mmCIF file of all heavy atoms in Angstrom:
data_model
loop_
_atom_site.group_PDB
_atom_site.id
_atom_site.type_symbol
_atom_site.label_atom_id
_atom_site.label_comp_id
_atom_site.label_asym_id
_atom_site.label_seq_id
_atom_site.Cartn_x
_atom_site.Cartn_y
_atom_site.Cartn_z
ATOM 1 N N GLY A 69 -6.293 13.799 7.648
ATOM 2 C CA GLY A 69 -5.149 13.439 8.400
ATOM 3 C C GLY A 69 -3.927 12.858 7.570
ATOM 4 O O GLY A 69 -3.206 12.016 8.041
ATOM 5 N N LEU A 70 -3.833 13.301 6.373
ATOM 6 C CA LEU A 70 -2.894 12.760 5.498
ATOM 7 C C LEU A 70 -1.447 12.949 6.001
ATOM 8 O O LEU A 70 -1.107 14.061 6.403
ATOM 9 C CB LEU A 70 -2.920 13.366 4.065
ATOM 10 C CG LEU A 70 -1.873 12.768 3.034
ATOM 11 C CD1 LEU A 70 -2.288 11.326 2.712
ATOM 12 C CD2 LEU A 70 -1.863 13.640 1.800
ATOM 13 N N LYS A 71 -0.651 11.894 6.057
ATOM 14 C CA LYS A 71 0.700 11.931 6.540
ATOM 15 C C LYS A 71 1.546 11.133 5.590
ATOM 16 O O LYS A 71 1.250 10.068 5.206
ATOM 17 C CB LYS A 71 0.781 11.413 7.958
ATOM 18 C CG LYS A 71 2.158 11.723 8.575
ATOM 19 C CD LYS A 71 2.071 11.712 10.103
ATOM 20 C CE LYS A 71 3.149 12.281 10.812
ATOM 21 N NZ LYS A 71 3.175 13.725 10.856
ATOM 22 N N ALA A 72 2.713 11.748 5.177
ATOM 23 C CA ALA A 72 3.657 11.049 4.330
ATOM 24 C C ALA A 72 4.728 10.579 5.244
ATOM 25 O O ALA A 72 5.237 11.309 6.108
ATOM 26 C CB ALA A 72 4.226 12.055 3.306
ATOM 27 N N TYR A 73 5.178 9.374 5.019
ATOM 28 C CA TYR A 73 6.282 8.735 5.710
ATOM 29 C C TYR A 73 7.381 8.441 4.744
ATOM 30 O O TYR A 73 7.164 7.544 3.835
ATOM 31 C CB TYR A 73 5.813 7.412 6.378
ATOM 32 C CG TYR A 73 4.758 7.582 7.422
ATOM 33 C CD1 TYR A 73 3.453 7.771 7.014
ATOM 34 C CD2 TYR A 73 5.054 7.439 8.746
ATOM 35 C CE1 TYR A 73 2.444 7.943 8.004
ATOM 36 C CE2 TYR A 73 4.020 7.496 9.752
ATOM 37 C CZ TYR A 73 2.688 7.767 9.367
ATOM 38 O OH TYR A 73 1.720 7.889 10.310
ATOM 39 N N VAL A 74 8.479 9.096 4.810
ATOM 40 C CA VAL A 74 9.617 8.907 3.923
ATOM 41 C C VAL A 74 10.690 8.111 4.671
ATOM 42 O O VAL A 74 11.030 8.505 5.842
ATOM 43 C CB VAL A 74 10.206 10.188 3.406
ATOM 44 C CG1 VAL A 74 11.346 10.023 2.352
ATOM 45 C CG2 VAL A 74 9.094 11.021 2.772
ATOM 46 N N ASN A 75 11.249 7.083 4.092
ATOM 47 C CA ASN A 75 12.247 6.270 4.707
ATOM 48 C C ASN A 75 11.809 5.769 6.083
ATOM 49 O O ASN A 75 12.529 5.788 7.069
ATOM 50 C CB ASN A 75 13.554 6.968 4.836
ATOM 51 C CG ASN A 75 14.150 7.411 3.502
ATOM 52 O OD1 ASN A 75 14.002 6.664 2.534
ATOM 53 N ND2 ASN A 75 14.711 8.565 3.413
ATOM 54 N N PRO A 76 10.601 5.196 6.233
ATOM 55 C CA PRO A 76 10.072 4.780 7.590
ATOM 56 C C PRO A 76 10.778 3.479 8.013
ATOM 57 O O PRO A 76 11.205 2.696 7.236
ATOM 58 C CB PRO A 76 8.596 4.482 7.238
ATOM 59 C CG PRO A 76 8.579 4.037 5.809
ATOM 60 C CD PRO A 76 9.588 4.934 5.157
ATOM 61 N N GLU A 77 10.895 3.482 9.335
ATOM 62 C CA GLU A 77 11.401 2.274 9.940
ATOM 63 C C GLU A 77 10.653 2.018 11.277
ATOM 64 O O GLU A 77 10.425 3.018 12.044
ATOM 65 C CB GLU A 77 12.929 2.379 10.198
ATOM 66 C CG GLU A 77 13.392 3.563 11.028
ATOM 67 C CD GLU A 77 14.881 3.650 11.292
ATOM 68 O OE1 GLU A 77 15.520 2.490 11.495
ATOM 69 O OE2 GLU A 77 15.364 4.707 11.171
ATOM 70 N N ILE A 78 10.329 0.806 11.597
ATOM 71 C CA ILE A 78 9.694 0.481 12.880
ATOM 72 C C ILE A 78 10.848 0.326 13.871
ATOM 73 O O ILE A 78 11.686 -0.505 13.680
ATOM 74 C CB ILE A 78 8.858 -0.767 12.749
ATOM 75 C CG1 ILE A 78 7.624 -0.488 11.875
ATOM 76 C CG2 ILE A 78 8.375 -1.214 14.172
ATOM 77 C CD1 ILE A 78 6.743 -1.719 11.550
ATOM 78 N N ILE A 79 10.683 1.178 14.937
ATOM 79 C CA ILE A 79 11.872 1.147 15.991
ATOM 80 C C ILE A 79 11.345 0.414 17.214
ATOM 81 O O ILE A 79 12.172 0.135 18.078
ATOM 82 C CB ILE A 79 12.283 2.571 16.291
ATOM 83 C CG1 ILE A 79 11.195 3.475 16.724
ATOM 84 C CG2 ILE A 79 13.001 3.165 15.114
ATOM 85 C CD1 ILE A 79 11.636 4.821 17.224
ATOM 86 N N TRP A 80 10.100 0.049 17.298
ATOM 87 C CA TRP A 80 9.538 -0.722 18.398
ATOM 88 C C TRP A 80 8.239 -1.354 17.949
ATOM 89 O O TRP A 80 7.436 -0.636 17.339
ATOM 90 C CB TRP A 80 9.331 0.143 19.621
ATOM 91 C CG TRP A 80 8.702 -0.566 20.759
ATOM 92 C CD1 TRP A 80 9.352 -1.356 21.668
ATOM 93 C CD2 TRP A 80 7.360 -0.640 21.149
ATOM 94 N NE1 TRP A 80 8.367 -1.876 22.530
ATOM 95 C CE2 TRP A 80 7.179 -1.500 22.174
ATOM 96 C CE3 TRP A 80 6.201 0.016 20.543
ATOM 97 C CZ2 TRP A 80 5.931 -1.714 22.787
ATOM 98 C CZ3 TRP A 80 4.963 -0.304 21.087
ATOM 99 C CH2 TRP A 80 4.804 -1.113 22.203
ATOM 100 N N ALA A 81 7.979 -2.556 18.364
ATOM 101 C CA ALA A 81 6.736 -3.171 18.143
ATOM 102 C C ALA A 81 6.358 -3.972 19.354
ATOM 103 O O ALA A 81 7.180 -4.610 20.009
ATOM 104 C CB ALA A 81 6.793 -4.185 16.931
ATOM 105 N N SER A 82 5.086 -3.947 19.742
ATOM 106 C CA SER A 82 4.616 -4.607 20.956
ATOM 107 C C SER A 82 4.617 -6.090 20.811
ATOM 108 O O SER A 82 4.600 -6.653 19.674
ATOM 109 C CB SER A 82 3.145 -4.190 21.249
ATOM 110 O OG SER A 82 2.257 -4.678 20.249
ATOM 111 N N GLU A 83 4.752 -6.795 21.871
ATOM 112 C CA GLU A 83 4.778 -8.324 21.778
ATOM 113 C C GLU A 83 3.330 -8.801 21.580
ATOM 114 O O GLU A 83 3.135 -9.810 20.982
ATOM 115 C CB GLU A 83 5.324 -8.845 23.092
ATOM 116 C CG GLU A 83 6.814 -8.703 23.194
ATOM 117 C CD GLU A 83 7.436 -9.386 24.377
ATOM 118 O OE1 GLU A 83 6.862 -10.336 24.886
ATOM 119 O OE2 GLU A 83 8.518 -8.913 24.815
ATOM 120 N N ASP A 84 2.354 -8.065 22.116
ATOM 121 C CA ASP A 84 0.993 -8.516 21.914
ATOM 122 C C ASP A 84 0.546 -8.261 20.489
ATOM 123 O O ASP A 84 0.931 -7.335 19.856
ATOM 124 C CB ASP A 84 0.044 -7.831 22.872
ATOM 125 C CG ASP A 84 0.073 -6.307 22.863
ATOM 126 O OD1 ASP A 84 1.127 -5.778 23.001
ATOM 127 O OD2 ASP A 84 -0.981 -5.661 22.686
ATOM 128 N N LYS A 85 -0.157 -9.189 19.935
ATOM 129 C CA LYS A 85 -0.575 -9.210 18.518
ATOM 130 C C LYS A 85 -2.088 -9.037 18.440
ATOM 131 O O LYS A 85 -2.879 -9.257 19.368
ATOM 132 C CB LYS A 85 -0.225 -10.490 17.865
ATOM 133 C CG LYS A 85 1.204 -10.909 18.099
ATOM 134 C CD LYS A 85 2.056 -10.605 16.899
ATOM 135 C CE LYS A 85 3.420 -11.196 16.974
ATOM 136 N NZ LYS A 85 4.504 -10.284 16.791
ATOM 137 N N GLN A 86 -2.531 -8.654 17.204
ATOM 138 C CA GLN A 86 -3.920 -8.477 16.934
ATOM 139 C C GLN A 86 -4.164 -8.864 15.552
ATOM 140 O O GLN A 86 -3.400 -8.705 14.669
ATOM 141 C CB GLN A 86 -4.391 -7.072 17.196
ATOM 142 C CG GLN A 86 -5.869 -6.881 17.410
ATOM 143 C CD GLN A 86 -6.177 -5.565 18.114
ATOM 144 O OE1 GLN A 86 -5.267 -4.777 18.422
ATOM 145 N NE2 GLN A 86 -7.405 -5.370 18.394
ATOM 146 N N VAL A 87 -5.365 -9.502 15.264
ATOM 147 C CA VAL A 87 -5.752 -9.927 13.917
ATOM 148 C C VAL A 87 -6.707 -8.887 13.429
ATOM 149 O O VAL A 87 -7.629 -8.531 14.023
ATOM 150 C CB VAL A 87 -6.415 -11.282 13.858
ATOM 151 C CG1 VAL A 87 -6.829 -11.603 12.458
ATOM 152 C CG2 VAL A 87 -5.358 -12.343 14.285
ATOM 153 N N TYR A 88 -6.381 -8.251 12.234
ATOM 154 C CA TYR A 88 -7.214 -7.248 11.533
ATOM 155 C C TYR A 88 -7.582 -7.824 10.184
ATOM 156 O O TYR A 88 -6.760 -8.437 9.503
ATOM 157 C CB TYR A 88 -6.500 -5.924 11.327
ATOM 158 C CG TYR A 88 -6.728 -4.915 12.465
ATOM 159 C CD1 TYR A 88 -6.069 -4.992 13.598
ATOM 160 C CD2 TYR A 88 -7.736 -3.989 12.295
ATOM 161 C CE1 TYR A 88 -6.181 -4.032 14.596
ATOM 162 C CE2 TYR A 88 -7.916 -3.016 13.252
ATOM 163 C CZ TYR A 88 -7.188 -3.051 14.394
ATOM 164 O OH TYR A 88 -7.362 -2.126 15.423
ATOM 165 N N ASP A 89 -8.811 -7.562 9.755
ATOM 166 C CA ASP A 89 -9.206 -7.867 8.367
ATOM 167 C C ASP A 89 -8.547 -6.847 7.497
ATOM 168 O O ASP A 89 -8.949 -5.580 7.620
ATOM 169 C CB ASP A 89 -10.690 -7.936 8.202
ATOM 170 C CG ASP A 89 -11.297 -9.271 7.974
ATOM 171 O OD1 ASP A 89 -10.452 -10.266 8.129
ATOM 172 O OD2 ASP A 89 -12.420 -9.403 7.722
ATOM 173 N N GLU A 90 -7.530 -7.200 6.724
ATOM 174 C CA GLU A 90 -6.867 -6.253 5.815
ATOM 175 C C GLU A 90 -7.414 -6.352 4.377
ATOM 176 O O GLU A 90 -7.770 -7.455 3.894
ATOM 177 C CB GLU A 90 -5.399 -6.409 5.875
ATOM 178 C CG GLU A 90 -4.744 -6.129 7.231
ATOM 179 C CD GLU A 90 -3.281 -6.225 7.204
ATOM 180 O OE1 GLU A 90 -2.675 -5.937 6.219
ATOM 181 O OE2 GLU A 90 -2.728 -6.413 8.310
ATOM 182 N N GLY A 91 -7.332 -5.291 3.704
ATOM 183 C CA GLY A 91 -7.574 -5.208 2.263
ATOM 184 C C GLY A 91 -6.406 -4.442 1.658
ATOM 185 O O GLY A 91 -5.555 -3.866 2.359
ATOM 186 N N CYS A 92 -6.447 -4.322 0.318
ATOM 187 C CA CYS A 92 -5.335 -3.657 -0.307
ATOM 188 C C CYS A 92 -5.705 -3.131 -1.699
ATOM 189 O O CYS A 92 -6.445 -3.842 -2.426
ATOM 190 C CB CYS A 92 -4.164 -4.703 -0.504
ATOM 191 S SG CYS A 92 -2.669 -4.098 -1.277
ATOM 192 N N LEU A 93 -5.316 -1.918 -1.983
ATOM 193 C CA LEU A 93 -5.675 -1.305 -3.296
ATOM 194 C C LEU A 93 -5.031 -2.191 -4.470
ATOM 195 O O LEU A 93 -5.576 -2.047 -5.594
ATOM 196 C CB LEU A 93 -5.226 0.127 -3.371
ATOM 197 C CG LEU A 93 -5.926 1.075 -2.296
ATOM 198 C CD1 LEU A 93 -5.364 2.505 -2.498
ATOM 199 C CD2 LEU A 93 -7.393 1.026 -2.532
ATOM 200 N N SER A 94 -3.985 -2.874 -4.245
ATOM 201 C CA SER A 94 -3.376 -3.732 -5.232
ATOM 202 C C SER A 94 -4.047 -5.082 -5.369
ATOM 203 O O SER A 94 -3.763 -5.866 -6.283
ATOM 204 C CB SER A 94 -1.906 -3.920 -4.962
ATOM 205 O OG SER A 94 -1.193 -2.717 -5.114
ATOM 206 N N VAL A 95 -4.956 -5.374 -4.433
ATOM 207 C CA VAL A 95 -5.733 -6.666 -4.406
ATOM 208 C C VAL A 95 -7.139 -6.372 -4.136
ATOM 209 O O VAL A 95 -7.766 -6.696 -3.123
ATOM 210 C CB VAL A 95 -5.152 -7.640 -3.334
ATOM 211 C CG1 VAL A 95 -5.684 -9.086 -3.538
ATOM 212 C CG2 VAL A 95 -3.659 -7.624 -3.270
ATOM 213 N N PRO A 96 -7.769 -5.562 -5.120
ATOM 214 C CA PRO A 96 -9.143 -5.106 -4.879
ATOM 215 C C PRO A 96 -10.245 -6.148 -4.573
ATOM 216 O O PRO A 96 -10.192 -7.225 -5.228
ATOM 217 C CB PRO A 96 -9.468 -4.287 -6.163
ATOM 218 C CG PRO A 96 -8.549 -4.748 -7.114
ATOM 219 C CD PRO A 96 -7.314 -5.220 -6.397
ATOM 220 N N GLY A 97 -11.047 -5.959 -3.590
ATOM 221 C CA GLY A 97 -12.123 -6.792 -3.307
ATOM 222 C C GLY A 97 -11.790 -7.988 -2.439
ATOM 223 O O GLY A 97 -12.585 -8.820 -2.021
ATOM 224 N N ILE A 98 -10.554 -8.157 -1.998
ATOM 225 C CA ILE A 98 -10.073 -9.214 -1.169
ATOM 226 C C ILE A 98 -9.736 -8.673 0.239
ATOM 227 O O ILE A 98 -9.050 -7.804 0.373
ATOM 228 C CB ILE A 98 -8.827 -9.874 -1.746
ATOM 229 C CG1 ILE A 98 -9.038 -10.401 -3.127
ATOM 230 C CG2 ILE A 98 -8.290 -11.024 -0.841
ATOM 231 C CD1 ILE A 98 -10.011 -11.460 -3.350
ATOM 232 N N TYR A 99 -10.344 -9.379 1.251
ATOM 233 C CA TYR A 99 -10.081 -8.991 2.640
ATOM 234 C C TYR A 99 -9.850 -10.254 3.381
ATOM 235 O O TYR A 99 -10.523 -11.232 3.152
ATOM 236 C CB TYR A 99 -11.303 -8.223 3.221
ATOM 237 C CG TYR A 99 -11.518 -6.937 2.498
ATOM 238 C CD1 TYR A 99 -12.436 -6.906 1.364
ATOM 239 C CD2 TYR A 99 -11.003 -5.754 2.879
ATOM 240 C CE1 TYR A 99 -12.677 -5.750 0.663
ATOM 241 C CE2 TYR A 99 -11.202 -4.575 2.267
ATOM 242 C CZ TYR A 99 -12.042 -4.565 1.173
ATOM 243 O OH TYR A 99 -12.268 -3.402 0.466
ATOM 244 N N ASP A 100 -8.884 -10.332 4.328
ATOM 245 C CA ASP A 100 -8.592 -11.445 5.123
ATOM 246 C C ASP A 100 -7.851 -11.009 6.331
ATOM 247 O O ASP A 100 -7.145 -9.941 6.318
ATOM 248 C CB ASP A 100 -7.817 -12.493 4.346
ATOM 249 C CG ASP A 100 -8.140 -13.914 4.833
ATOM 250 O OD1 ASP A 100 -8.350 -14.113 6.027
ATOM 251 O OD2 ASP A 100 -8.288 -14.726 3.954
ATOM 252 N N GLY A 101 -7.900 -11.832 7.385
ATOM 253 C CA GLY A 101 -7.305 -11.593 8.630
ATOM 254 C C GLY A 101 -5.770 -11.780 8.632
ATOM 255 O O GLY A 101 -5.241 -12.748 8.129
ATOM 256 N N VAL A 102 -5.032 -10.735 9.079
ATOM 257 C CA VAL A 102 -3.585 -10.816 9.269
ATOM 258 C C VAL A 102 -3.269 -10.501 10.675
ATOM 259 O O VAL A 102 -3.706 -9.457 11.225
ATOM 260 C CB VAL A 102 -2.894 -9.889 8.244
ATOM 261 C CG1 VAL A 102 -1.385 -9.856 8.447
ATOM 262 C CG2 VAL A 102 -3.227 -10.225 6.818
ATOM 263 N N GLU A 103 -2.373 -11.303 11.256
ATOM 264 C CA GLU A 103 -1.932 -11.008 12.623
ATOM 265 C C GLU A 103 -0.593 -10.199 12.561
ATOM 266 O O GLU A 103 0.410 -10.558 11.924
ATOM 267 C CB GLU A 103 -1.696 -12.329 13.371
ATOM 268 C CG GLU A 103 -1.264 -12.061 14.850
ATOM 269 C CD GLU A 103 -1.058 -13.417 15.570
ATOM 270 O OE1 GLU A 103 -0.055 -14.124 15.180
ATOM 271 O OE2 GLU A 103 -1.782 -13.689 16.526
ATOM 272 N N ARG A 104 -0.647 -9.130 13.321
ATOM 273 C CA ARG A 104 0.496 -8.224 13.470
ATOM 274 C C ARG A 104 0.603 -7.624 14.906
ATOM 275 O O ARG A 104 -0.348 -7.742 15.625
ATOM 276 C CB ARG A 104 0.260 -7.003 12.516
ATOM 277 C CG ARG A 104 0.157 -7.285 11.012
ATOM 278 C CD ARG A 104 0.065 -5.976 10.215
ATOM 279 N NE ARG A 104 -0.158 -6.165 8.850
ATOM 280 C CZ ARG A 104 0.769 -6.386 7.959
ATOM 281 N NH1 ARG A 104 2.005 -6.397 8.291
ATOM 282 N NH2 ARG A 104 0.487 -6.527 6.668
ATOM 283 N N PRO A 105 1.786 -7.067 15.193
ATOM 284 C CA PRO A 105 1.848 -6.394 16.519
ATOM 285 C C PRO A 105 0.734 -5.379 16.608
ATOM 286 O O PRO A 105 0.435 -4.704 15.707
ATOM 287 C CB PRO A 105 3.216 -5.774 16.448
ATOM 288 C CG PRO A 105 4.010 -6.642 15.567
ATOM 289 C CD PRO A 105 3.064 -7.051 14.519
ATOM 290 N N SER A 106 0.064 -5.211 17.852
ATOM 291 C CA SER A 106 -1.005 -4.328 18.007
ATOM 292 C C SER A 106 -0.551 -2.845 18.113
ATOM 293 O O SER A 106 -1.360 -1.991 17.839
ATOM 294 C CB SER A 106 -1.786 -4.729 19.159
ATOM 295 O OG SER A 106 -1.126 -4.764 20.381
ATOM 296 N N ARG A 107 0.701 -2.671 18.459
ATOM 297 C CA ARG A 107 1.200 -1.310 18.619
ATOM 298 C C ARG A 107 2.600 -1.228 18.039
ATOM 299 O O ARG A 107 3.401 -2.134 18.176
ATOM 300 C CB ARG A 107 1.282 -0.818 20.119
ATOM 301 C CG ARG A 107 -0.172 -0.840 20.772
ATOM 302 C CD ARG A 107 -0.153 -0.270 22.190
ATOM 303 N NE ARG A 107 1.031 -0.697 23.044
ATOM 304 C CZ ARG A 107 1.135 -1.777 23.747
ATOM 305 N NH1 ARG A 107 0.177 -2.769 23.574
ATOM 306 N NH2 ARG A 107 2.182 -2.027 24.482
ATOM 307 N N VAL A 108 2.975 -0.090 17.431
ATOM 308 C CA VAL A 108 4.286 0.125 16.819
ATOM 309 C C VAL A 108 4.660 1.611 17.052
ATOM 310 O O VAL A 108 3.879 2.456 17.248
ATOM 311 C CB VAL A 108 4.333 -0.202 15.359
ATOM 312 C CG1 VAL A 108 4.063 -1.681 15.038
ATOM 313 C CG2 VAL A 108 3.402 0.685 14.526
ATOM 314 N N LYS A 109 6.043 1.765 17.016
ATOM 315 C CA LYS A 109 6.559 3.157 16.990
ATOM 316 C C LYS A 109 7.401 3.232 15.725
ATOM 317 O O LYS A 109 8.313 2.290 15.480
ATOM 318 C CB LYS A 109 7.398 3.355 18.263
ATOM 319 C CG LYS A 109 7.936 4.759 18.375
ATOM 320 C CD LYS A 109 8.614 4.968 19.725
ATOM 321 C CE LYS A 109 8.963 6.451 19.931
ATOM 322 N NZ LYS A 109 9.591 6.679 21.269
ATOM 323 N N VAL A 110 7.140 4.220 14.998
ATOM 324 C CA VAL A 110 7.866 4.325 13.675
ATOM 325 C C VAL A 110 8.608 5.672 13.611
ATOM 326 O O VAL A 110 8.143 6.664 14.109
ATOM 327 C CB VAL A 110 6.936 4.185 12.466
ATOM 328 C CG1 VAL A 110 5.868 5.320 12.409
ATOM 329 C CG2 VAL A 110 7.566 4.075 11.082
ATOM 330 N N ARG A 111 9.754 5.584 13.034
ATOM 331 C CA ARG A 111 10.504 6.882 12.791
ATOM 332 C C ARG A 111 10.556 7.026 11.220
ATOM 333 O O ARG A 111 10.842 6.035 10.489
ATOM 334 C CB ARG A 111 11.996 6.715 13.372
ATOM 335 C CG ARG A 111 12.833 7.973 13.110
ATOM 336 C CD ARG A 111 14.231 7.761 13.583
ATOM 337 N NE ARG A 111 14.280 7.531 15.056
ATOM 338 C CZ ARG A 111 14.947 6.641 15.614
ATOM 339 N NH1 ARG A 111 15.673 5.772 14.958
ATOM 340 N NH2 ARG A 111 14.940 6.496 17.038
ATOM 341 N N ALA A 112 10.409 8.182 10.824
ATOM 342 C CA ALA A 112 10.401 8.482 9.368
ATOM 343 C C ALA A 112 10.799 9.940 9.180
ATOM 344 O O ALA A 112 11.057 10.678 10.128
ATOM 345 C CB ALA A 112 9.018 8.211 8.809
ATOM 346 N N GLN A 113 10.802 10.308 7.921
ATOM 347 C CA GLN A 113 11.031 11.752 7.531
ATOM 348 C C GLN A 113 9.780 12.307 6.842
ATOM 349 O O GLN A 113 9.065 11.514 6.204
ATOM 350 C CB GLN A 113 12.209 11.854 6.631
ATOM 351 C CG GLN A 113 13.611 11.533 7.351
ATOM 352 C CD GLN A 113 14.682 11.308 6.363
ATOM 353 O OE1 GLN A 113 14.723 10.276 5.693
ATOM 354 N NE2 GLN A 113 15.579 12.304 6.238
ATOM 355 N N ASP A 114 9.584 13.607 6.817
ATOM 356 C CA ASP A 114 8.568 14.147 6.090
ATOM 357 C C ASP A 114 9.077 14.545 4.667
ATOM 358 O O ASP A 114 10.267 14.300 4.415
ATOM 359 C CB ASP A 114 7.859 15.369 6.834
ATOM 360 C CG ASP A 114 8.863 16.515 7.035
ATOM 361 O OD1 ASP A 114 9.847 16.606 6.354
ATOM 362 O OD2 ASP A 114 8.523 17.358 7.897
ATOM 363 N N VAL A 115 8.281 15.177 3.858
ATOM 364 C CA VAL A 115 8.733 15.491 2.455
ATOM 365 C C VAL A 115 9.837 16.507 2.473
ATOM 366 O O VAL A 115 10.512 16.653 1.438
ATOM 367 C CB VAL A 115 7.507 15.944 1.561
ATOM 368 C CG1 VAL A 115 6.573 14.803 1.324
ATOM 369 C CG2 VAL A 115 6.866 17.150 2.097
ATOM 370 N N LYS A 116 10.097 17.189 3.576
ATOM 371 C CA LYS A 116 11.223 18.141 3.633
ATOM 372 C C LYS A 116 12.459 17.513 4.207
ATOM 373 O O LYS A 116 13.475 18.215 4.333
ATOM 374 C CB LYS A 116 10.814 19.387 4.418
ATOM 375 C CG LYS A 116 9.659 20.118 3.724
ATOM 376 C CD LYS A 116 9.295 21.334 4.526
ATOM 377 C CE LYS A 116 8.211 22.126 3.833
ATOM 378 N NZ LYS A 116 7.176 22.626 4.682
ATOM 379 N N GLY A 117 12.338 16.210 4.681
ATOM 380 C CA GLY A 117 13.510 15.571 5.198
ATOM 381 C C GLY A 117 13.666 15.715 6.740
ATOM 382 O O GLY A 117 14.601 15.171 7.323
ATOM 383 N N GLU A 118 12.624 16.257 7.346
ATOM 384 C CA GLU A 118 12.628 16.376 8.819
ATOM 385 C C GLU A 118 12.193 15.124 9.415
ATOM 386 O O GLU A 118 11.146 14.505 9.041
ATOM 387 C CB GLU A 118 11.619 17.535 9.283
ATOM 388 C CG GLU A 118 12.010 18.936 8.780
ATOM 389 C CD GLU A 118 13.358 19.417 9.297
ATOM 390 O OE1 GLU A 118 13.613 19.205 10.497
ATOM 391 O OE2 GLU A 118 14.096 20.064 8.596
ATOM 392 N N THR A 119 12.901 14.645 10.413
ATOM 393 C CA THR A 119 12.641 13.299 11.069
ATOM 394 C C THR A 119 11.625 13.583 12.142
ATOM 395 O O THR A 119 11.481 14.526 12.865
ATOM 396 C CB THR A 119 13.913 12.777 11.801
ATOM 397 O OG1 THR A 119 14.941 12.628 10.787
ATOM 398 C CG2 THR A 119 13.674 11.458 12.506
#
Side-chain angles (χ1 to χ4, degrees):
L70 182 69
K71 191 158 195 76
Y73 297 77
V74 183
N75 299 323
E77 58 179 319
I78 292 176
I79 55 176
W80 175 83
S82 65
E83 288 185 26
D84 55 306
K85 310 259 190 230
Q86 199 158 5
V87 175
Y88 267 83
D89 251 7
E90 293 187 27
C92 180
L93 297 178
S94 291
V95 194
I98 303 295
Y99 299 88
D100 213 318
V102 176
E103 184 180 64
R104 298 183 185 273
S106 58
R107 297 183 325 276
V108 295
K109 187 173 189 179
V110 64
R111 179 182 298 132
Q113 293 168 283
D114 62 19
V115 293
K116 294 180 178 139
E118 298 295 318
T119 300

